[in-house]
Structure formats: structure tokens, C-alpha cells
Amino acid sequence: MRILIAPDKFKGTLSALEVAENIAAGLREVLPDAKIDIVPMADGGEGTAEVISDALGASWLNCKAHGPLHREIEARYGWIAKQALAVMEMSEAAGMRRLRPSELNPEIASTFGVGEMILDAARRGAEQIIIGLGGSATNDGGFGMARALGFRFFGAAAAKLDGFKPSSLKGLERIERPAGLKLPKIIAAVDVRNPLLGENGATRVFGPQKGVTPDRIENFELALTRLADVVAQEFGFDYHNEVGAGAAGGLGFGLMSFCGAKIRPGFDVVAESVGLETKMKDVDLVITGEGSLDRQTLEGKTPAGVAQLARKLGKRVFAMVGRTTDETDVRKLFDGVYQNARSGMSQEENMKRAAQLLRENARELAKTL
């Protein structure tokens, strides 16, 4: 029997590789002769750069940058020299993981460091950059990133806007392009489909988890609306309602507007990089997973992508997850769903025992095979 294990991470608990290895360990206890192939996956969220870089044999480069609250940091990204390809994540410079929970402050949090990483890769001769857009601590529409690249933002009477306050964009009147800026082709890998604005936009959906309080939501919405209006007016293209523009606090919009980036589903980008379809063709069944399997999974998350590819190739597919809902649309993607959550078990205990529970679930699946 040939089995392909292609999960995402369990956020805050296990990496995609650790998830896969624990599932494999449980399977081998019951099926010692099975041929098991492990392919860690991601979908544009945190872990994307590591998965792609490991699959392509990248080295890791460090560069000086600034974190979301403007502190100097050492950022890193993957580098595949033979392809002149840089693989990075916006969260490396502007992610929530750079901050303590008490430090979340979208009023000044900036994507400036993302622009610094992009410039570093360009100076090294990158011909293409893949950047994952998950895990952001920002809601600035790429304003900070654009400033790092040399764009200048002006309000009334040609006054330069406060570059450390996204809310200052409400007074935006004009944007000045930097002279001679040359950037490589950029692919923005996203794991959400949200537009920049509106009820399903960056601020209203994701802002609260970054510290945007209810009384400030409209303020941020007005700032991003003004940014989009002026970009359309100055540059001649309109990304107000573009799918994925709302990813990473609107950085998807910023990357398209200021870098000419193309937004793509992160799962597709990763699947192509790791050769997932080729590896899936000759197996008997597929196992995937993530920390939480719910309706959001249908919006381009790893388990849904793996399941759809498996169905296309006529393979049975199972999911092993930290927890799940009973929604039919989600569960029907799989031939079976195994969750770590147990009756009476707290979320904290579930996460603490994730590796052990995955092995137990894998043994149970193996017995049915």
C-alpha cells in the first residue's frame, strides 16, 4: 500500500513536517510494510516559505529590516540560486509573531519591513519573488511597504503624510512613484479570497484580531478606501474589489498596486513547487490535515486543495485535524475525518497532546485499511 501524507501545520503546535511525521509513525505501527511519502504543505499562510524552500533546496539569507512597530530586526527568506528565486513571508517582517499580544497596535503597525525584504532580494538579482501573505499584524494596505520602496504619499497642500499612521491615508491626495525602481516578478500567495473593502474586507473581517477596536473600524475603512481611490486615479487600475486584495491587512492590494504583483491561491503555488500532483498519481490513498477544519477551509486552505486534487485523480482522501465542525460541505470533501478533540478535553490539552493524538488517530485509520 502506498500512502501520501500532505498536511498543513497545526498552528501554534506542530509544523507541517511534524504533523506528517506523527501520522506516519502511527500508520507504521499497524501497516509496517506500507510505502509512505511525506509532503509537508502550506497555502500562503505562515510556513509557506519553509515548505517551498525545503522542497526546492533553498538556502536561507538574512537581511536587515524593521518589524511591525519599527524596531530593527534580522529577517530571513529562502533563496534558490539556480532560479534566481526568493521565497519569503510577510509575517517575517510584519507578522503578529513579531509582537507580544499586549503590543498589537494597528494604529502604527507597518509593512515597511516587507518592502525592505523585497528590495534586498531585488538587489541580489532575484528574477522572481514568492511571498506568503498570512499572519499579519498590520492593516495598512501596503502603505508601509510602498514607502520602503520609495513611493511618496502627499495630502493637502503637498504635505507628506505621516508614514507611521495608516489612518493618515484618509487625507491622501497624490502618490509619487520612485524614479528607476525595478522589481522582479512577484507572486503573492494568499490563503483567503477577501477583497480590500466592505463587509468581507480586510478591516472588518481581520482587523479585530489585530487590535482594531469597533470604534476604529470605520476609520481604517475610510483610510483604505481613500488609498484605493487615489491609486485608481493616479495609476489607472482599480483593485477595490479584487479577490485576495484584502489579504494581510490589504497588503495583497499594495503588492498589486505598487509592485505589479499577481495574486494566486497559496495552495496552488505550493502544490506546484513541491510537485504534489505528480507525487499523488501512484498512491492508493491520501491523508491531509490542519489544526482546525471548518467552513474557512473551503476558502483555499490546504485540506480542501489536497482533497480536490485527490478526487480529480480518483484517490481516497482522509483528514486528520485538531478539531472540526459538523458542517456537511466540509466533511463531504473526505472519505473520513479524524479529530484530536476528545469529549471533556480542553483546547489547551488538545494542543499539548497533538502529536500523541495524531498517532492514535493514524492507528485507528490504519486498522480500517
Side-chain angles (χ1 to χ4, degrees):
M1 179 176 289
R2 299 192 62 178
I3 302 171
L4 177 69
I5 305 174
D8 206 331
K9 64 187 178 301
F10 280 27
K11 189 172 183 178
T13 306
L14 299 170
S15 69
L17 177 60
E18 290 169 333
V19 172
E21 288 175 338
N22 279 286
I23 293 172
L27 293 173
R28 289 190 180 104
E29 291 180 31
V30 180
L31 302 169
D33 296 326
K35 184 173 181 181
I36 298 173
D37 191 10
I38 288 174
V39 184
M41 288 295 299
D43 51 25
E46 289 180 276
T48 295
E50 186 171 358
V51 166
I52 294 176
S53 295
D54 288 350
L56 298 181
S59 56
W60 289 96
L61 300 179
N62 294 321
C63 70
K64 298 290 184 183
H66 289 80
L69 299 187
H70 324 298
R71 294 187 288 253
E72 288 191 1
I73 60 169
E74 187 95 348
R76 74 167 195 160
Y77 58 89
W79 177 254
I80 298 92
K82 62 185 177 183
Q83 299 179 38
L85 169 65
V87 186
M88 58 183 63
E89 293 181 14
M90 74 80 59
S91 64
E92 179 70 10
M96 293 178 73
R97 63 192 179 93
R98 285 286 181 184
L99 304 175
R100 294 185 292 273
S102 62
E103 291 184 309
L104 291 176
N105 188 352
E107 299 289 344
I108 59 172
S110 173
T111 53
F112 192 89
V114 179
E116 292 175 305
M117 292 175 67
I118 290 171
L119 283 178
D120 189 82
R123 289 170 185 144
R124 292 179 190 266
E127 295 180 6
Q128 180 170 313
I129 296 173
I130 295 173
I131 180 166
L133 299 194
S136 71
T138 54
N139 202 88
D140 73 350
F143 175 38
M145 175 204 68
R147 287 180 50 248
L149 297 176
F151 286 85
R152 301 171 74 196
F153 296 78
F154 298 92
K160 286 186 69 174
L161 298 187
D162 186 335
F164 296 104
K165 289 187 177 180
S167 61
S168 70
L169 289 167
K170 288 188 299 180
L172 181 64
E173 295 289 338
R174 182 172 63 87
I175 303 171
E176 185 178 289
R177 292 178 183 269
L181 177 66
K182 293 183 179 180
L183 296 175
K185 176 183 177 183
I186 297 177
I187 302 296
V190 302
D191 62 350
V192 298
R193 295 175 51 81
N194 303 72
L196 179 67
L197 306 167
E199 289 303 315
N200 200 35
T203 301
R204 289 192 167 92
V205 175
F206 303 112
Q209 69 193 40
K210 304 171 188 182
V212 178
T213 54
D215 62 307
R216 298 294 290 168
I217 286 177
E218 190 61 29
N219 197 51
F220 276 97
E221 186 76 358
L222 289 172
L224 293 184
T225 299
R226 185 58 186 162
L227 175 62
D229 288 347
V230 175
V231 164
Q233 167 192 308
E234 296 272 296
F235 300 160
F237 37 72
D238 187 347
Y239 296 131
H240 281 73
N241 300 309
E242 194 77 14
V243 170
L251 181 60
F253 169 86
L255 284 165
M256 287 189 292
S257 299
F258 304 113
C259 304
K262 180 179 180 181
I263 287 186
R264 293 193 61 202
F267 174 80
D268 293 349
V269 175
V270 176
E272 290 170 12
S273 298
V274 304
L276 184 64
E277 182 167 355
T278 298
K279 292 176 179 177
M280 196 181 286
K281 284 181 177 177
D282 295 325
V283 304
D284 298 299
L285 66 95
V286 179
I287 300 172
T288 186
E290 68 177 344
S292 181
L293 190 72
D294 51 35
R295 181 155 294 279
Q296 188 67 32
T297 302
L298 302 175
E299 298 296 318
K301 300 292 187 181
T302 291
V306 172
Q308 289 159 2
L309 183 55
R311 295 298 189 203
K312 170 186 162 185
L313 298 175
K315 311 295 182 181
R316 288 185 294 166
V317 58
F318 297 86
M320 295 202 175
V321 301
R323 61 183 184 275
T324 187
T325 63
D326 291 324
E327 291 169 291
T328 303
D329 286 351
V330 179
R331 284 182 167 265
K332 73 181 183 181
L333 289 171
F334 308 97
D335 291 287
V337 176
Y338 294 76
Q339 65 172 322
N340 286 356
R342 305 285 193 267
S343 178
M345 178 184 291
S346 68
Q347 178 63 17
E348 183 180 5
E349 185 180 2
N350 184 336
M351 294 176 70
K352 185 176 180 180
R353 296 176 56 196
Q356 171 196 338
L357 295 169
L358 277 171
R359 292 192 297 271
E360 289 178 7
N361 287 335
R363 286 196 295 270
E364 288 304 309
L365 171 59
K367 290 173 184 175
T368 71
L369 301 176

